[in-house]
Amino acid sequence: MESVFRNRGATLLMLTPALLVYTIVMLIPIVWSVTYTFQSGNAVTGFEFVGFDNWIKFFGDETAIDALWFTLRYAIVMTTLQVAAGYGLALLYIFFLRNRSSLVRATIFFPVILPTVAVALMFTRMFEAAPTAGPVNAIIMWLGGDLTDFLGDPGYSFWVIIIMDVWRSMGFYAVLLYAGLVEIPQDIMESARIDGASGWKLVRKIVFPLSLPILLSSLIFSINGTLKVFDSIVALTNGGPGSATTPLTLYMFRTSFAYGQYGYGSTVAFMLTLLCLVATIFVFRSMRKDVTR
Amino acid sequence: MTLAPRRAKLAAIALTGVGALTLAACSSGGDGNATASGSTGTSGLTSTEFTYLGQTQNTTIISTLESLGSGACSAEQASTPLVSDAIDGTTWDQQLQVLAGSDALSNMSMAAGTPSLMKDFIDAGKVLDLTDAFAQLGMTDPVLPAAEATLKQLYQTDDLYALPTEYNIEGFWYNKALFDQAGVTVPTTWSELVDAAAKLDAAGIQPFIAAGSDGWPVTRLVGDYILRDLGADALQKVADGSAKLTDPEYVAGADAVAALGQAGYFGPAAGSIDYNTAMNQFLTGGGAMFYMGSWALANFNDPEQDQIGVDNIGYFAFPEVEGGKGSISETPANAGIPVMFTTANYTDDIGAWVKCIAENYGNVALAESGQVTGFTITETPADQSDLTTMVQDQIANATGSILWFEAAFTSEGTTVSQTNGGGLATGSLSGADFMALVQAANEG
């Protein structure tokens, strides 16, 4: 094997196809996008070099900062809830349902395969206030409460999005974490039980440390997915009311394609990329010590 | 140690080569799109088809074009068949930008919703100058002077660049029976309007119906208030930079509308009401006043939709603001979503379609859809409703027209205004906050 790698011709031949594909689909668009961050204009009006103007604008743009703050808030709340819900379900499969868990797993996984727009439409109807009160409002009014415009109120609409996305994604994380939990050797569990560990103590001392690698993967999956949230919010609230639920991705889309500011849109996109990178490094570094302990 | 620099050099060569290939591919792709429609791109030559792109929400234009194809324009249809396509209107401007950027606009399409975007298209030479085209085609005055003036004012051009497939006046449509029930008369001043709303509310009737989730039916009220209060050029001053929306006299307009929202006059869930729901609410007696354009005549004249009866619907102009510089006789007017023709692939065959559409569209749209357009009408249908006739009279008698709140704003200003307009109707956003958001968006 070593002799093959010493042969530079063979190395180049083997690497070239992958390198070509990677360059065409990844590197060039990224570099191209970065060059746009130093320009203003669009395909219709033409482009003009503006130096760092787009970057300066980003840090003074209240809407962008609001979108950044919303994105972070959404990512932190969603990651916490969906990984926690997934982990809870995975523990349920392992400890309580054991071999009988396949039907429950399939049922909870089902929302993952549903189209986002269909789920959003369903939740719109569930939380509807007008023209007719949806089931949630019907229950609230039956209990004596007032009609609440969940999707027209900035405070409520955030939590409707969270509820919908947790319901949609917890099945995925449950299956992912379940796959990690079943890999924990039974003899370790047995010996822990013999040593007197059970219930919460068993989970805390044995199951949790041994499932940290898969938890780390889940967190990285989750933080990157939630920082890039787009479709579910567009389908449910379209960033509203006002711009109360507008994440960076939607703001990037609007600046580029609705406002015709390709350069500024690319700057927002690049900021999002940096955010994903920083979040991934942060999660990775903070977990690495525990994994290798 | 000696391997690294050579490896880096090889990688650099490979990357440069791949980059150059990709750049070449991208640039040739752009040219390919420009000529992909099968047309020649220069006048005097022929086209194989006449392409039209519209919004799925608007079925009037395409059905009128199809009627023309089987009637007055059958010769054009035989030589250059109409091929139509439609996409969702909510992303219309985005789609047009992408198409215009690669010279792939259809021969005819609905114009951009944001006037500033249309100006970009016109400046970039993407849109056909119809004043020139009409002169070349030997046509005189196919478009009503009022509609032509509105379109020129909208795009700030000396020539005509779009055809008015609608010509609408805007104002309050009201339910006469509900007004009688609450003992309310038609208001002519803003104070009277607020008093009327209070009386209706006290009588258990929702005073206003507005599509808060769409935003624009609410921001229209802000714009009209400002134009009545500060005069017809007030919003142009904002666009020119000589005034700001955050100036106290402008904020007063947003505050006046926000006060209606805070009083709950738009109903309990105004922020979630969309256009169709609002229309349905008004036509089923769910509220007394509905600010809308005269394009809604098609709905009012449809007995299946209109449960309250077309004779039960009245119209009054946006009231005067006491002591204001604007006049009640200045009617908010617009050309709906006009249609434009692209300069790319413009041939004699497309010119023949332009001529036929300009000469016949108005008659066919009025006869088949009851649509009041900005074209010169040569045949008036015998069974026209009184409400339609009233609108035509209103257009004829208006001493001047004014544009809507966002007409002179940037794309970003328009979007921010319309996405936040619902907040005024629900009372969750103050006038000052709303104006600050829109002013900031307009300044980019």
Side-chain angles (χ1 to χ4, degrees), chain A residues 182-283:
Chain A
V182 291
E183 290 299 311
I184 296 175
Q186 281 301 313
D187 50 351
I188 295 180
M189 301 274 273
E190 279 306 313
S191 49
R193 281 199 182 99
I194 291 165
D195 289 344
S198 63
W200 174 237
K201 200 171 185 185
L202 185 71
V203 171
R204 200 160 55 89
K205 297 283 187 189
I206 305 295
V207 178
F208 185 71
L210 288 176
S211 60
L212 267 179
I214 192 78
L215 260 177
L216 171 69
S217 306
S218 301
L219 283 176
I220 291 173
F221 260 132
S222 177
I223 201 88
N224 279 294
T226 50
L227 283 173
K228 291 185 286 191
V229 61
F230 183 79
D231 52 354
S232 60
I233 289 183
V234 169
L236 189 69
T237 65
N238 198 22
S243 56
T245 58
T246 302
L248 271 181
T249 47
L250 183 55
Y251 188 57
M252 168 192 77
F253 180 74
R254 283 194 179 141
T255 46
S256 301
F257 302 112
Y259 309 159
Q261 301 167 1
Y262 282 27
Y264 190 50
S266 295
T267 311
V268 178
F270 199 73
M271 282 305 297
L272 188 65
T273 310
L274 289 179
L275 196 65
C276 288
L277 191 68
V278 169
T280 306
I281 291 171
F282 176 76
V283 173

Side-chain angles (χ1 to χ4, degrees), chain A residues 8 12 20 23-24 27-28 32 42-45 57 129-131 147 149 151-152 241-243 251 253-254 257-261, chain B residues 3 6 10 14-15 18-19 22-23 93-94 97 100-101 120-121 124 268-273 277 411-412 415-416 419-420 444:
Chain A
R8 275 179 237 124
L12 196 65
L20 261 177
T23 306
I24 291 169
L27 290 182
I28 288 178
W32 201 288
N42 58 49
V44 177
T45 58
K57 183 181 169 184
L147 179 77
D149 191 2
L151 297 171
S243 56
Y251 188 57
F253 180 74
R254 283 194 179 141
F257 302 112
Y259 309 159
Q261 301 167 1
Chain B
L3 267 177
R6 289 194 62 173
L10 277 171
L15 268 174
V18 169
T22 313
L23 285 174
D93 284 3
Q94 297 159 24
Q97 284 188 67
D120 286 346
F121 290 166
S272 295
I273 306 273
T277 307
S411 297
E412 188 176 355
T415 306
V416 169
T419 49
N420 287 285

Side-chain angles (χ1 to χ4, degrees), chain B residues 113-116 119 154 170 214-224 227 235 239 245 403-421 424 434 438 442:
Chain B
T114 311
S116 63
K119 275 190 272 181
L154 189 60
E170 294 177 10
D214 292 355
W216 63 263
V218 183
T219 62
R220 287 288 213 267
L221 305 181
V222 177
D224 287 353
L227 295 168
L235 290 169
L245 292 172
L403 293 174
W404 64 94
F405 185 54
E406 297 94 354
F409 292 180
T410 62
S411 297
E412 188 176 355
T414 303
T415 306
V416 169
S417 170
Q418 297 183 352
T419 49
N420 287 285
L424 293 175
F434 172 77
V438 182
N442 261 334

